[in-house]
Amino acid sequence: MSRVYNFSAGPSCLPEEVLKSAAEEMMDYKGTGQSVMEMSHRSKAYEPIIAETESLVRELMNVPSNYKILFLQGGASTQFAMVPMNLKKNGKAAYINTGVWSKKAIAEAKKYLSVEVLASSDDKNFSYIPKVEKVTGDYDYVHITLNNTIMGTHYEYIPDTGDIPLVADISSCILSEPLDVSKFGLLYAGAQKNLAPAGVTLVIIREDLIPEEPIEGTPTMLAYKTHSENGSMYNTPPCYTIYIMGKVLQWIKANGGAEGMKKRNYEKANLFYDYLDNSDYYHATAEKGSRSIMNIPFLTKYDGDKATEINKKFVSEAASAGLVNLAGHRLVGGMRASIYNAMSLEGVKALIAFMDKFAKEN
Ligand SMILES: Cc1ncc(COP(=O)(O)O)c(C=O)c1O
């Protein structure tokens, strides 16, 4: 059996060690005679799984003790609504607009409160992160999308919001490098990029931000309190996904934790950006100073119909060479390589070798 190098933006590649270990335990988890898929979430065998996954999140992200860790469902997209529903006080929130996912978060928040967009990189097709170093005002919270999966941009600074809670969507950069959790009131991430298969959303929330009463009419399942009071077991959690997340976190720990991931990811990203910056055939779309180390969109020197033809050929020939899911998002065009934690340096080197050959032939 041969495995491909998978550059998908999400769901994405998982460490092979994790897949092998899950396969070994598939029919009989630690002598229980069952798969974790089949187990009650309230069983003696399952309890330590979720407890260990939570404690690994705490350890690897250095989460202070006054924060709760929640395992929720509904994807990061459900957080676009849960955040305003639970954090609304005076009725005004500030957002920074850095592309598709920010726009979706803004549109959803507008259903529940008034939104002020502090800055936007809309003027240059979201190819950079606007500088908003300090925020003051009577906002209930400030929301940013720390890594923009589609545009391939990432904040190189954390806005200083003083006492205003800072909320960040970290879906596509969680645990890609160390992050100071204490600077944030709330962090959320869909797991299907750096943590696990799809199905669980990780929320890290400062305890004092969990309201007794979210806005009127909030469904029980959309109140943070429901999940924080019940250890993410108010209803059936996505048990198997949490179990795989635990294995991924063990893999991260064994590979140097967040610092180890940072080293690994910069090595890959620097190699790839250096190649793009020195090429007269390809170029990166994100501006220097705002570049993601996880998602790297790039274009060729062609435009118009020729670009469409070449992009299609690139994606198809790359797939035949075992390099899959490289099509760019339609809003950026060209190609995109998502090189999450689990992507190896060998995978990036194989992509560059293919790109070099393709450029010479086309
Ligand atoms: C930054 C970011 N936020 C939110 C989402 C939406 O996540 P979900 O599909 O888990 O709702 C994505 C999905 O790719 C994303 O990349």
Side-chain angles (χ1 to χ4, degrees):
M1 181 207 58
S2 73
R3 288 193 33 98
V4 292
Y5 288 119
N6 178 8
F7 296 92
S8 166
S12 349
C13 56
L14 289 165
E16 281 193 8
E17 293 91 324
V18 168
L19 298 175
K20 281 183 188 147
S21 153
E24 273 166 24
E25 291 172 352
M26 181 60 77
M27 300 302 286
D28 177 12
Y29 176 74
K30 295 193 176 167
T32 58
Q34 309 159 53
S35 165
V36 174
M37 278 187 201
E38 304 168 299
M39 256 171 213
S40 161
H41 55 295
R42 306 204 189 273
S43 62
K44 280 266 166 301
Y46 191 74
E47 274 169 16
I49 295 179
I50 189 165
E52 198 197 338
T53 304
E54 177 180 333
S55 101
L56 281 166
V57 172
R58 222 171 253 293
E59 177 186 341
L60 294 170
M61 292 186 70
N62 202 12
V63 179
S65 59
N66 61 327
Y67 285 68
K68 289 273 190 202
I69 291 167
L70 311 177
F71 299 100
L72 307 184
Q73 298 186 61
S77 302
T78 297
Q79 294 311 304
F80 299 164
M82 277 179 83
V83 166
M85 286 173 132
N86 286 270
L87 268 51
K88 181 177 177 180
K89 278 189 180 147
N90 299 318
K92 192 167 76 172
Y95 280 70
I96 299 177
N97 181 10
T98 49
V100 173
W101 298 111
S102 300
K103 282 201 225 173
K104 290 198 172 175
I106 291 167
E108 197 66 10
K110 279 183 175 167
K111 295 182 180 173
Y112 308 103
L113 39 65
S114 110
V115 168
E116 226 169 90
V117 177
L118 297 178
S120 167
S121 46
D122 193 355
D123 57 334
K124 289 194 192 164
N125 198 24
F126 300 108
S127 58
Y128 71 102
I129 299 291
K131 274 264 178 293
V132 184
E133 307 224 12
K134 187 144 185 64
V135 184
T136 54
D138 57 346
Y139 303 116
D140 292 339
Y141 62 89
V142 177
H143 180 283
I144 61 172
T145 312
L146 197 61
N147 187 79
N148 295 273
T149 324
I150 293 174
M151 307 305 171
T153 59
H154 182 86
Y155 282 74
E156 290 202 346
Y157 70 99
I158 304 293
D160 172 5
T161 60
D163 289 340
I164 314 169
L166 179 60
V167 175
D169 177 352
I170 56 167
S171 294
S172 49
C173 60
I174 186 165
L175 278 168
S176 61
E177 59 183 327
L179 183 67
D180 183 352
V181 174
S182 71
K183 289 193 169 149
F184 299 85
L186 192 159
L187 293 163
Y188 63 89
Q192 63 272 21
K193 299 156 197 306
N194 255 349
L195 292 180
V200 68
T201 311
L202 189 71
V203 171
I204 303 173
I205 180 170
R206 216 175 63 211
E207 276 165 358
D208 63 287
L209 295 175
I210 302 174
E212 272 308 306
E213 295 277 346
I215 62 166
E216 206 186 321
T218 299
T220 308
M221 280 294 289
L222 299 191
Y224 290 125
K225 186 167 179 253
T226 305
H227 304 286
S228 73
E229 281 184 343
N230 291 284
S232 301
M233 294 261 202
Y234 170 76
N235 71 328
T236 317
C239 311
Y240 195 78
T241 313
I242 293 168
Y243 154 77
I244 299 289
M245 189 196 289
K247 290 199 179 294
V248 172
L249 295 171
Q250 280 162 5
W251 176 86
I252 292 177
K253 186 172 172 176
N255 285 278
E259 279 295 347
M261 291 299 111
K262 178 179 179 182
K263 186 168 172 286
R264 174 183 170 94
N265 290 327
Y266 273 94
E267 198 174 357
K268 291 180 289 178
N270 287 340
L271 186 72
F272 199 53
Y273 280 120
D274 280 350
Y275 175 72
L276 294 172
D277 291 343
N278 290 306
S279 164
D280 50 17
Y281 192 88
Y282 305 100
H283 61 274
T285 59
E287 288 184 11
K288 283 183 184 163
S290 297
R291 287 175 165 180
S292 169
I293 55 167
M294 298 277 92
N295 313 97
I296 309 186
F298 58 97
L299 305 174
T300 66
K301 62 181 177 179
Y302 299 109
D303 44 34
D305 289 347
K306 179 70 178 170
T308 312
E309 177 203 319
I310 283 288
N311 295 343
K312 219 172 136 197
K313 191 164 186 235
F314 182 104
V315 171
S316 150
E317 288 184 11
S320 304
L323 308 160
V324 306
N325 292 318
L326 282 159
H329 191 280
R330 74 193 147 75
L331 293 174
V332 183
M335 278 65 68
R336 171 176 50 170
S338 293
I339 52 172
Y340 294 117
N341 287 350
M343 174 57 63
S344 62
L345 182 63
E346 289 67 41
V348 174
K349 285 183 178 165
L351 175 58
I352 292 174
F354 168 81
M355 286 168 69
D356 226 26
K357 181 166 164 285
F358 184 87
K360 288 191 184 106
E361 289 169 1
N362 292 277

